[in-house]
Amino acid sequence: MTNLTGVTNGTNAPSKASRRHWQILAIVCLVQFMLIVDDTVVNVALPSIQRELGFAPSALPWVVNAYVLAFGGLLVTASRVADRLGLVRTFVIGTALFALASLACGLAQAPWHLVAARFAQGIGAALTSPTVLGLIAVSFTAPKEHAKAVRLWGLIAICGGLSGVVLGGLITGLLSWRWIFFVNLPIAAIALLSLPVLARGIAPGQHKTRIEITGAVTITGAVAATIYGLLDLADGYSGLRSAGFFALAALLFASFAIHERHGVSPLIPQVLLADRVRIMALVAGMLATGVLFIIFFTLTLELQNTLGLGPIKAGLGYIPFAVASLASICAAGMLGQRFVPTQLLVLGLFIIVVGTLLLTGGVGSGSYTALLPGLVVFGFGISLVLPVTAQLATSGMDPTHAGVAGGLVTSAQQLGGAVGLAFAGILLGAEGERHGLALIGGAVLAASAFGAALITLKRC
């Protein structure tokens, strides 16, 4: 078993992962790619959706928000369900629900049909996503293999986020917006037919695990209220209304904390929250994801509105970022032989700070070339950080807690994305033109994560 600083205990010799485990990794990464793409692919298609289904302008954001709210709000509860039912069974249920909801999205004939189906998609994603990291954690127990598997997962997640914008434009332009949902069906079918066979007998579930209804309701409500308040800010609605959602979220989080302390069966096992390094990894992952969303959102505006690139060309402008991400994944294997994961995390966060500052200097120049150094440096740093945070948060876990550990990682990233979008919406201003200020906000978030990591590690 591996501790959180990367030192291997001598009690268990690492065993080489079998071919079956690598096949499992391929399947779950394919599904992870589908979930991440679906988080972004819709944005490009919104004008076409609005024209065909007759969405009112005020209702159109709910095509995105319904998915985000269901996905982010239910993650913690869904991850505990995965530990009770078993990772494979929960994966199958979540992926099947996601596929059926995708079909319903593609067949929608009215605005409320699409919003309801997107909410159902979010529920399916919430059930599926925690099982991805959970299956990786229980399939790859040797430290080096686990690190490699999580790095590949991180690369797929980042590529999925990048691909969504490009794929959305291509599919909507060449076929129809409905096909951005229909393409999920063959991917889900491959996963549903193959994973139950490959992963038979892995993490079968703990039927003695209780799910406290009170805790599940309060944490779901707290996360949903937080995300809704952040979405409110990002969409430019009243600060007073957002403050009301944040106050409700604080009340629900406090109620959840009290219930967890005195409850018989905590929704989040205390062992997961007892280690400072694990908590630091979750916080760092949340803040780094926030920076990523700020940069994607801001640079998309910079590339299209300032440099005059179309949606497809703007998407292709992220190719240097993707190349740097791939280089980072390859370099992480060599760096992992010299540094423990916590040191890699600090290094990666520092690189993110530098990359964000370089991008800040490049915006407003009227030149894509001026953005390239920042894109490359940031791409290298973020692809180093996100896999390491997932590795630190899930390493050495008892299989009975694998689902909730994976759920916490994904929840932190979902909250981080909502925080990033809210920051970007506020700092960009009503006209969306303050690109440099938005990136400075991203640099502040990155520096905060870097400082928190340094302080935490010095105290450990």
Side-chain angles (χ1 to χ4, degrees):
M1 188 171 291
T2 309
N3 64 29
L4 291 177
T5 58
V7 180
T8 305
N9 298 333
T11 54
N12 294 325
S15 59
K16 188 174 182 179
S18 68
R19 180 181 178 183
R20 179 172 69 117
H21 290 154
W22 292 108
Q23 291 171 335
I24 291 172
L25 177 65
I27 295 299
V28 297
C29 281
L30 179 64
V31 171
Q32 179 72 16
F33 181 84
M34 175 182 71
L35 298 180
I36 296 296
V37 165
D38 226 75
D39 217 350
T40 57
V41 71
V42 176
N43 291 286
V44 178
L46 286 177
S48 299
I49 292 172
Q50 183 179 24
R51 285 193 300 270
E52 184 168 334
L53 295 185
F55 266 92
S58 60
L60 189 61
W62 277 99
V63 178
V64 176
N65 294 352
Y67 181 83
V68 173
L69 275 174
F71 190 3
L74 292 169
L75 265 170
V76 175
T77 301
S79 62
R80 199 59 172 151
V81 169
D83 288 332
R84 177 178 172 82
L85 297 182
L87 296 175
V88 177
R89 184 180 299 176
T90 308
F91 179 94
V92 169
I93 294 171
T95 303
L97 175 58
F98 187 88
L100 290 173
S102 296
L103 178 62
C105 286
L107 296 175
Q109 299 298 314
W112 74 267
H113 293 168
L114 183 57
V115 171
R118 286 286 285 167
F119 192 85
Q121 266 193 316
I123 297 174
L127 286 166
T128 302
S129 190
T131 67
V132 171
L133 276 174
L135 285 166
I136 291 173
V138 299
S139 299
F140 298 89
T141 54
K144 289 184 179 180
E145 291 170 347
H146 180 249
K148 182 178 179 180
V150 173
R151 287 197 300 270
L152 291 172
W153 164 85
L155 178 63
I156 291 297
I158 291 171
C159 288
L162 283 171
S163 301
V165 178
V166 179
L167 290 175
L170 287 173
I171 294 172
T172 303
L174 297 176
L175 297 171
S176 160
W177 65 265
R178 297 181 184 276
W179 281 94
I180 65 176
F181 300 110
F182 290 151
V183 295
N184 294 331
L185 301 180
I187 297 175
I190 292 170
L192 291 171
L193 291 173
S194 58
L195 190 88
V197 177
L198 292 170
R200 185 182 292 117
I202 293 179
Q206 302 293 319
H207 297 293
K208 294 181 180 179
T209 300
R210 294 178 57 189
I211 300 175
E212 293 283 357
I213 300 300
T214 303
V217 170
T218 52
I219 190 60
T220 298
V223 174
T226 302
I227 292 176
Y228 194 86
L230 290 168
L231 291 172
D232 235 18
L233 286 177
D235 290 338
Y237 288 103
S238 167
L240 182 62
R241 191 169 82 168
S242 300
F245 282 110
F246 292 141
L248 175 61
L251 178 62
L252 291 173
F253 274 124
S255 300
F256 175 73
I258 294 171
H259 183 270
E260 287 287 282
R261 179 170 296 182
H262 301 290
V264 177
S265 180
L267 195 68
I268 303 176
Q270 292 302 308
V271 66
L272 293 179
L273 304 178
D275 193 287
R276 289 180 179 176
V277 175
R278 196 185 305 278
I279 296 300
M280 180 270 293
L282 292 171
V283 172
M286 180 183 74
L287 294 177
T289 305
V291 180
L292 179 66
F293 271 64
I294 288 174
I295 286 178
F296 277 4
F297 189 74
T298 304
L299 287 189
T300 298
L301 293 177
E302 175 76 7
L303 293 173
Q304 295 191 45
N305 297 345
T306 303
L307 300 185
L309 302 180
I312 295 177
K313 287 185 177 180
L316 295 175
Y318 286 102
I319 288 178
F321 178 100
V323 173
S325 296
L326 180 60
S328 176
I329 297 298
C330 296
M334 295 181 289
L335 291 172
Q337 296 175 5
R338 299 187 58 184
F339 303 102
V340 297
T342 48
Q343 293 171 328
L344 282 180
L345 177 59
V346 172
L347 174 63
L349 289 170
F350 177 75
I351 294 174
I352 286 177
V353 174
V354 174
T356 308
L357 291 175
L358 287 172
L359 284 169
T360 303
V363 297
S365 65
S367 169
Y368 174 75
T369 305
L371 299 172
L372 276 176
L375 271 174
V376 171
V377 173
F378 181 80
F380 190 93
I382 195 70
S383 299
L384 192 62
V385 166
L386 292 184
V388 172
T389 58
Q391 179 187 350
L392 289 170
T394 58
S395 290
M397 287 306 306
D398 187 305
T400 60
H401 297 149
V404 73
L408 287 175
V409 173
T410 311
S411 295
Q413 293 178 352
Q414 282 288 308
L415 281 174
V419 168
L421 287 176
F423 259 57
I426 294 169
L427 296 176
L428 283 167
E431 303 299 324
E433 296 177 348
R434 299 187 304 208
H435 301 169
L437 183 60
L439 291 177
I440 289 173
V444 171
L445 281 185
S448 300
F450 176 68
L454 280 180
I455 293 171
T456 302
L457 295 179
K458 285 182 179 179
R459 292 180 177 178
C460 292

